[in-house]
Amino acid sequence: MTEYINIPPFLTYNQIAKLYNLSLASPDFKKHNNTISGTESDIYYLNITDGFIQDKVMHASLMKMEPNAIQDWHTDFTRSTALIYPLSPNYQLGQVESGYYSGPVLLNVSKAKHAVFNNNAVRINFNVGLNIPIDKINISETIDLIKKWI
């Protein structure tokens, strides 16, 4: 099973700054709830989905974790794959059972157990949920779509 696929960085400095600054300025982050238990997790999200991107993918969000927060081992049940793009400085690496992943990745969130044990910095990423199995995603097309949208 493929746990994750590293993808090349594709956002420009200005696009990263725009998303990061939006995450710092927005009071609209919502607390994430575990999709199985309904309990609150240590993740906050800001939905930035619009009609264009929603027609092509499931959703786009900015995800935030406070310093020293924990998103314990889990799999997701509301999406198959997540494109995760780090935005914040001192970004804590995520983990899968085989080790750590870094940089922009496609993560097999519905099959691979994954976790984040955050460091002492706020952790912010751009997160695109896809209802496509990781081994069926055309990476170039997905990146091109996101670049047109951002």
Side-chain angles (χ1 to χ4, degrees), residues 4-41:
Y4 67 93
I5 299 170
N6 287 102
I7 58 175
F10 61 88
L11 295 178
T12 65
Y13 174 84
N14 287 340
Q15 290 169 324
I16 291 170
K18 173 185 163 187
L19 291 169
Y20 182 66
N21 289 335
L22 174 62
S23 74
L24 295 178
S26 178
D28 298 326
F29 274 87
K30 295 179 176 29
K31 190 84 165 163
H32 175 267
N33 288 318
N34 181 299
T35 55
I36 301 297
S37 68
T39 58
E40 288 186 344
S41 74

Side-chain angles (χ1 to χ4, degrees), residues 86-148:
L87 299 174
S88 56
N90 198 18
Y91 187 84
Q92 177 62 41
L93 303 180
Q95 289 181 260
V96 290
E97 291 180 299
S98 66
Y100 291 92
Y101 60 88
S102 65
V105 298
L106 291 173
L107 184 61
N108 190 353
V109 293
S110 66
K111 303 276 189 230
K113 284 189 175 185
H114 54 284
V116 175
F117 302 94
N118 202 17
N119 58 23
N120 62 354
V122 173
R123 180 184 196 264
I124 299 170
N125 66 55
F126 173 55
N127 195 296
V128 178
L130 302 158
N131 279 330
I132 304 166
I134 195 167
D135 57 344
K136 303 284 186 207
I137 293 174
N138 182 313
I139 295 171
S140 296
E141 284 181 11
T142 302
I143 288 172
D144 287 346
L145 172 70
I146 293 169
K147 285 167 58 175
K148 287 178 192 170

